[in-house]
Amino acid sequence: MVSLTDLGELASAAASPVWRRVAGAPAVAEPAETLLGLGTPSSDVPMLSLRGITKRFPGVVANDGIDLDVFGGKVHAILGENGAGKSTLMKIIYGFYRPDAGSISMDGQPVVIHSPADSRRLGIGMVFQSFSLVPALTVTENVALFLPQQGAVLNRPWLERRVREVSARYGLDLNPRARVADLSMGERQKVELIKLILANARVLILDEPTSVLAPHEVDGLFSVFTELKRDGYAILFITHKMREVLASADQVTVLRRGKAAGTAEGGALTAQQLVALMLGIDAPKEVRNTARVKPRPQTAALEFNRVSTGSADDPRSLKEVSFQMMPGEILGIAGVSGNGQQELGETLLGLRSRRQGSVHLFGHDIGRWPLHRILGSGVAYIPEDALGMAVVPQMRVTENLVLGDIGRYNGGLWLDWRAIQTRLGQSLEGFPLPLARAEARADELSGGNLQRLVLARELTRGASVVVAYYPARGLDLVAAEKTRQLLMDCRSRGASVLLVSEDLDELMALSDRLMVMYQGKVAGLFYPENVTLQEVGLLMTGHHA
Amino acid sequence: MNIFWLVLGGAFTGAVGPGVSVLYATYGEVITERAGRINLGIEGSMLMGACFGFLTAVETGNVVVAILAGGLAGSLLSGIHAYLVVFRDTNQLATGLAVTLFGAGVTAYAGRSFVGSSIEGLNPVAIPLFSNLPVVGRALFQQDLLAYAAYALGPLLWAFLHYTKWGLSLRAVGESTNVAFAAGRNPARWQVAAIMAGGLLAGLGGAQLSLALTHSWTEGMTAGRGFIAVALVIFGMWSPLRAMIGALLFGGAIGLQLQLQSIGAPISPFILDMFPYIITLAVLTVWTGAALRAMPEGLKGVLKGTV
């Protein structure tokens, strides 16, 4: 632990370029000359180095043999889709998870990180998406709360001076006496950075730092990065936005399905190269939609007509979305998560109010229909958040199976559970996915079992419109293929399927037509055979193909 | 006109004495609530302090030991509350009331043979020079030692909350247990400590009531002063300094009531007894809107009934 005097020296040293020597001293037993060069971009020794990091969760390998080198004085971006394993990797570095295999070293020395306290001691700091700040306290008080060690009496003048010095040096521009509650999200992020710097962090990890920021604040953050680089800090930031990587990163590591798809130097990168790295070329899916239909003129199963929701500057809210989905068609929705896909389904169900436009189901305007009437008209819904939207967590598997579709099983006033059991058995007969024990509570199920439960309920009731969010999420490869086959079966019997996915291969393989969403708008609508993965990827990230 | 000023002056002179016990309880509840917990059991803690302080004084004749015993008794009772709400996750309001009822029962039983006993107790000590000041002198500087300690305690608690690392931790716990935990604090431990410290202060307040103000023990003698303290915390916006104003206000209402009774005002004594509580309620009604913004985040769920 650092004593109070050390801390004072350290913080004042932070204002001078040689501070690295001090900060590095406790963690490393190398001669000072090496340390001096440590933070410069030309250094060969990475400040933080990962080798073969592997982390398995039940049913999924979140990180699979990942190597990563982070250098002082450089911004290293971790780019990847949702579920690619970015957050898991960061949490391993920060000590939340222990890797199943692999090693971590700092400044060339192997280290063991068992807890966030370990990583903080080694000089690794993390800014989470949901900030660790107390809104009712001032900037200074928040910083003081996280200082490693201090005297009994808060030395407010000293703390405030440190906050001012660090703010001034890195262009963070904060009033130390301001209450955090009165600060914007961008300013709160600055408080987090100051906290880390004053707590002697040298590797700064930022989890999706731009997701809470307005565009001009994003530029501000990147110029702060530049200042921090100059003093030798290593910055590791997670994002799924390519524009940000191109704007700020010196190095990029792309994660895809838990693996490092590649690392590249930022300067020479183009958007096309990043797309290629992100999407990769995978083995073709076995289930493929080989007989794609062109929609015949008929009544659309589902029609959105210039639908807008929410406020116009929220990237998630729909903006004049129009499309038609025909019976017997799979309409794939491609897009980075958080670009209006969620709103699409919620608007269909009437859970989200429309500002303008109309939604039609087989020609009927369903704008004023209550939810049970919409679901009763043959809409099956597989939501993104199964535990939150599709099941009652405390209820048993059987109860949850019956709950969403009670009309099919009840025989009058009372529920005859034995009869229900029999009829459940009949309707699930031939369902290709194994289900969990009927007596298990839904909240005890693994992600894959939960997903199978929802799939079983929604796909066995003969719906004519199936809305499926990431249907294969949490499933192993075999189950995922069977699920895709189930969707194809729905299509074959004339149902139309709205398939929302981040897996472009899956979308390309199954969709009759593909719609790309970006910031709540329809960025493109076409037949999959007419576009390449790269073109779709660019549209998904706001570039024009 | 003359009588009016006389009554008001008398009310002010008589304000501090009855206000001190409420002030201690208010300090205690400020500490408790700053840690994000609410303790309606401090009424019980006051009774414990009043009863066991008095009993100890009768048995030992040592007033310092009596004061300490009162504080300890109050703290132990609030320990029950702390255990239940922090570790067993019970409803804080219901638990606090149950603890108060328990404290009332325990003290009624323990103190039954001491009703009517007399003690030397704590007597006013005039501070030279200051006590000769007009009006203020007698009101403020001819008090017992616990009252003087209460004057000092307000600024001290305020400094503790804002200028020590423990105060910072306590406030952080009260605002967000998650952030406090992320900063390496153990929120449960802090909350138990805060609740028990609150009970200790309420116990001291109770002891002041029986040892210094009335020099006697009667069953249920706190008469809701603990609940008044909970209200004064809101009035004082969770600040120990503003709590002093609140306690003076309540004490002043008691002083006013006594003055009115002594000059034979033609008002029913029962109505007059309600005076302090009516004034407190009226002030709360007017004041609450502005005060609630200062409420620690951790309390908001309790008052909305979501915790």
Side-chain angles (χ1 to χ4, degrees), chain A residues 120 131-137 141-142 144-146 150-154 156 179 195, chain B residues 161-166 168-169 171-172 175-176 179-185 293 297:
Chain A
R120 280 201 288 253
F131 299 141
S132 300
L133 295 172
V134 180
L137 302 184
E141 288 169 338
N142 269 288
L145 196 60
F146 281 83
Q150 52 194 317
V153 175
L154 290 186
R156 279 179 185 263
R179 263 165 45 106
K195 245 167 63 177
Chain B
L161 285 174
H162 293 274
Y163 285 91
T164 68
K165 68 171 179 183
W166 301 295
L168 181 65
S169 302
R171 287 187 294 144
E175 293 289 341
S176 164
V179 175
F181 184 70
R185 312 300 197 278
R293 258 172 279 140
E297 203 60 38

Side-chain angles (χ1 to χ4, degrees), chain B residues 43 46-52 54-55 103-104 106-119 206 209-211 213-225:
Chain B
E43 171 78 8
M46 283 188 85
L47 275 172
M48 292 287 279
C51 178
F52 289 98
F54 187 79
L55 263 60
V106 167
T107 52
Y109 177 75
R112 69 197 185 288
S113 57
F114 291 84
V115 178
S117 300
S118 65
I119 50 162
L209 199 63
S210 63
L211 296 176
L213 199 70
T214 65
H215 294 258
S216 67
W217 160 253
T218 44
E219 189 183 326
M221 68 184 295
T222 53
R225 280 174 167 79

